[in-house]
Amino acid sequence: MSTEVASLKASVIRIPSPESSGTPAVRRLIAVMLFVSILLGVIAAWHGGNLWINDDGVSYLDLADAWLARDWQTVANGYWSPGYPWLLAIGLSISRHPVFWEPVVVRAVNLLMYLGALFAFLFFWRELTDYTVRCTRPIRWENESPGGAWWFFGFVLFLYCAIGLIKVSSDCADMCVAAVVFAASAILIRIRNGELSPGTFVAFGATLGLGYLMKAVMLPLTLVFVASALLAAPNRKKAVTGLVLTLLTFGLISAPWVLLLSTAKHRLTFGDSGRLNYVWYANYGAITGPARTSYFFPWRGSPGGGAPVHPMRQLLSSPEVDEFKAPFRASYPPWNDPSYWYEGVKVRFDLRQQLQPLKRSMATYLSFVEDQAALVVAALFLIILAGVSGVTTALKQGTYLVLPALAAFGLFALILVADRYIGPFVLLFWAAVFSELYVVNRELKPRILSALFLAAALALSLPVIKSSSQDVMKTVQGFRAHELFSHEDADVADSLGKLGLRPGDRIGYIQSPGDALNKYWARLAKVTIIADMPSRDVEEFWNADPATKDKVVAAFKEAGARVIVAYNVPPAAQNGWQRVQRSDYYVLPCPK
């Protein structure tokens, strides 16, 4: 009898599991998909030669410079976390290319972040696969396995989230957050499988600590991950001891940044990004006028919403011109550290106000359901086959893994839902759903499951194929036109240099609705925008009489601006303005 049992166990080990990567065919598929994922990442990073860097990227790059210069006053930033600037600083210090090539360096750093997320995903998917194998092995050992379809589905899901939602070309830390989420989720599965060694929990805390340094939102989500680990552990008494190690490790990694930030702000703070985004998108009572729906500056305070400790100086009221002198170095001080300008704001909860972002978020989530209809249909099919008892079992078994995703969805719903914010959690959610539904449907024929995974993956791959094809076509067109990449910002910076501007000089900027998120040219020229006109007043300015326009120019000069930069100056108002080469930017020297 014992011989027969041993023979049976050996057979179980030899027969390919439903998602095992041990078979030669599946290993070849993984290698091919890994190559394809890297290639598509390169294509997405280059983005058809469009290397435009928005205001977020400018702030991150300015902070990277500050870290390299050890400018502690500037790096103690309450809005932007330090992780991404560190990576950019490393890239800039290694490359040492002329400033013209800086966008290429940024995209190279973004590509490395994408590769980090890719290999973190592989770690997660392998752990999830092994977990599913253990759960299905008693039934599946007799059947042919659809391992290739499962892995293909996983890679496509990753590409959809990384390239389609987060975007490799986006100059932000969200790709690093994705890597952290995948790695932390993989460790969660290990804890679920009974790996409760001190090293596992230390690695868990270190991973989550790095996530917090990338984006402050990982602080509350860390608590959710810890709760999920406690829920997942088969021995909760032992897990409690391990999770103490997790929290201690997290604290050791995050404490230096919290200490630096709190010392600079003269109050205990873990970062102000969540608080400010709540003010901007939910707590409308703290922002008055058109700023509440478009431009966040200047904030002048409001009844019950607090008063600014560092108010911007209004030079003109109509059309509005505001000056913003800051104690830190920045290309565009308002967006370099919004927490400085919003020091003194009070956050209030108002149910009526809170319902507005919730309505927007629900509409956004419904659009996601439409975009991911193939996944929804596949999941519903498996839910129907599983029945009430199967679904109940899946909920009990998979709650620990889906909980961080649901928590993230709920957290962002309170303020703002954006593709890049929820990208990694979309993958985590669907991975948890399909792995548990597969387990409870383990008696289903493998061919049906393979067809289901392949159909869902093919439907999900269409947006990735479309965007990648467009990027390839744009790149080819650029090579044919002998233009490696578009760099209009460099033309503006070059023109400012020819006008005699030097690094550190101050300039004015007339915002434009069509160019409200681009200040990269100021960074390339190494100048500081000391005053600007909000986009809502630009049309009034262009249609104003000469006397009003002279007052505006005088106001910019009073702030210390040597020149004024504008975008898309109307033909009737171009007198005195110099067009920057073939671009849509114009420069007006301030009279001496």
Side-chain angles (χ1 to χ4, degrees):
M1 183 67 178
S2 60
T3 305
E4 293 176 356
V5 172
S7 177
L8 178 60
K9 290 183 178 179
S11 298
V12 170
I13 294 173
R14 286 196 301 269
I15 298 296
S17 61
E19 292 76 37
S20 174
S21 60
T23 64
V26 174
R27 284 200 299 269
R28 285 194 295 270
L29 175 66
I30 293 173
V32 170
M33 290 303 297
L34 185 60
F35 172 78
V36 170
S37 299
I38 294 173
L39 179 61
L40 291 178
V42 172
I43 293 171
W46 188 248
H47 197 35
N50 180 5
L51 304 189
W52 177 67
I53 294 179
N54 64 14
D55 286 357
D56 289 7
V58 172
S59 296
Y60 278 126
L61 283 166
D62 284 350
L63 287 172
D65 287 345
W67 280 103
L68 290 173
R70 299 180 182 179
D71 181 356
W72 306 120
Q73 185 176 30
T74 300
V75 301
N77 192 296
Y79 191 76
W80 306 105
S81 297
Y84 187 40
W86 289 345
L87 297 178
L88 291 173
I90 293 171
L92 294 174
S93 62
I94 292 175
S95 63
R96 298 188 180 278
H97 284 298
V99 69
F100 179 85
W101 293 96
E102 187 177 75
V104 179
V105 177
V106 173
R107 291 302 170 84
V109 171
N110 290 355
L111 178 60
L112 291 175
M113 290 161 53
Y114 167 83
L115 294 177
L118 173 60
F119 285 100
F121 158 76
L122 285 175
F123 174 37
F124 164 68
W125 204 257
R126 188 177 295 277
E127 293 298 323
L128 184 66
T129 297
D130 290 344
Y131 165 76
T132 309
V133 167
R134 292 187 181 95
C135 293
T136 58
R137 186 171 283 165
I139 299 295
R140 280 288 175 196
W141 66 274
E142 294 178 346
N143 300 326
E144 179 185 355
S145 67
W150 169 256
W151 275 95
F152 181 73
F153 171 74
F155 270 104
V156 172
L157 186 59
F158 168 79
L159 292 172
Y160 173 80
C161 294
I163 294 178
L165 298 182
I166 303 172
K167 300 188 185 305
V168 189
S169 60
S170 181
D171 305 317
C172 58
D174 296 283
M175 196 65 76
C176 286
V177 172
V180 166
V181 169
F182 300 154
S185 300
I187 298 173
L188 259 184
I189 299 172
R190 286 191 170 186
I191 293 173
R192 175 69 171 178
N193 288 333
E195 295 188 27
L196 305 179
S197 66
T200 299
F201 289 102
V202 168
F204 195 41
T207 301
L208 294 170
L210 291 175
Y212 164 69
L213 294 178
M214 290 299 166
K215 291 195 78 169
V217 71
M218 285 303 297
L219 177 61
L221 289 177
T222 289
L223 301 178
V224 179
F225 271 101
V226 169
S228 295
L230 185 61
L231 189 65
N235 185 338
R236 292 186 181 176
K237 185 176 181 181
K238 188 175 181 180
V240 169
T241 304
L243 290 173
V244 170
L245 281 176
T246 294
L247 293 174
L248 286 174
T249 306
F250 178 88
L252 287 173
I253 291 175
S254 59
W257 172 243
V258 173
L259 180 62
L260 174 64
L261 197 56
S262 299
T263 302
K265 299 297 181 181
H266 305 291
R267 55 184 169 84
L268 178 63
T269 177
F270 301 94
D272 294 326
S273 58
R275 184 168 66 102
L276 291 183
N277 277 282
Y278 190 84
V279 167
W280 294 334
Y281 294 106
N283 194 192
Y284 286 162
I287 300 178
T288 58
R292 75 179 192 180
T293 56
S294 56
Y295 187 57
F296 302 135
F297 306 99
W299 174 59
R300 306 196 192 284
S302 62
V309 176
H310 312 116
M312 296 179 178
R313 185 164 74 108
Q314 188 178 72
L315 302 175
L316 278 180
S317 59
S318 181
E320 185 175 347
V321 177
D322 299 293
E323 177 192 20
F324 26 80
K325 291 182 179 179
F328 47 82
R329 299 176 184 177
S331 302
Y332 185 60
W335 199 238
N336 181 270
D337 188 0
S339 69
Y340 175 81
W341 307 104
Y342 274 82
E343 190 71 46
V345 70
K346 295 180 180 179
V347 181
R348 301 176 301 165
F349 177 78
D350 184 289
L351 181 59
R352 183 177 297 178
Q353 293 174 348
Q354 181 61 73
L355 290 176
Q356 296 303 314
L358 285 174
K359 289 178 182 178
R360 291 196 307 268
S361 299
M362 291 306 104
T364 304
Y365 282 134
L366 285 175
S367 69
F368 274 113
V369 171
E370 294 176 3
D371 294 340
Q372 299 165 27
L375 297 178
V376 175
V377 171
L380 288 175
F381 177 75
L382 291 176
I383 287 172
I384 292 171
L385 291 178
V388 176
S389 61
V391 172
T392 302
T393 301
L395 287 173
K396 289 180 180 179
Q397 297 296 322
T399 300
Y400 79 98
L401 193 56
V402 81
L403 184 60
L406 294 178
F409 295 155
L411 187 62
F412 290 122
L414 294 173
I415 303 174
L416 177 68
V417 176
D419 292 1
R420 60 188 177 93
Y421 296 166
I422 66 171
F425 301 101
V426 168
L427 187 149
L428 181 58
F429 174 81
W430 287 119
V433 167
F434 279 104
S435 64
E436 292 300 334
L437 286 177
Y438 178 79
V439 170
V440 297
N441 284 285
R442 56 186 176 270
E443 295 185 9
L444 198 63
K445 290 184 179 180
R447 290 183 181 180
I448 296 177
L449 289 170
S450 293
L452 195 67
F453 290 139
L454 287 173
L458 290 173
L460 205 61
S461 68
L462 295 179
V464 178
I465 294 172
K466 180 181 178 181
S467 64
S468 299
S469 300
Q470 291 173 342
D471 285 342
V472 170
M473 290 177 64
K474 290 178 183 178
T475 301
V476 172
Q477 291 171 359
F479 275 109
R480 287 178 177 175
H482 304 288
E483 186 178 47
L484 186 61
F485 59 90
S486 57
H487 208 341
E488 190 178 62
D489 293 309
D491 295 336
V492 179
D494 183 59
S495 294
L496 292 176
K498 290 179 180 178
L499 287 173
L501 268 73
R502 296 292 177 263
D505 282 349
R506 299 173 177 181
I507 66 170
Y509 182 52
I510 296 179
Q511 298 269 9
S512 168
D515 192 55
L517 297 178
N518 182 29
K519 314 291 189 305
Y520 186 50
W521 47 267
R523 171 176 167 76
L524 292 178
K526 299 186 183 302
V527 297
T528 297
I529 300 176
I530 192 63
D532 72 358
M533 177 186 294
S535 60
R536 60 178 178 267
D537 287 359
V538 170
E539 185 175 357
E540 176 189 349
F541 169 69
W542 294 131
N543 295 326
D545 56 76
T548 300
K549 290 180 179 178
D550 289 342
K551 289 182 180 178
V552 169
V553 174
F556 277 113
K557 182 182 178 182
E558 180 186 346
R562 291 190 57 189
V563 302
I564 305 171
V565 177
Y567 183 78
N568 270 342
V569 177
Q574 290 180 4
N575 184 34
W577 291 85
Q578 302 175 22
R579 187 173 183 176
V580 176
Q581 300 182 27
R582 295 176 297 173
S583 74
D584 293 320
Y585 285 93
Y586 293 78
V587 178
L588 176 69
C590 290
K592 296 181 179 179

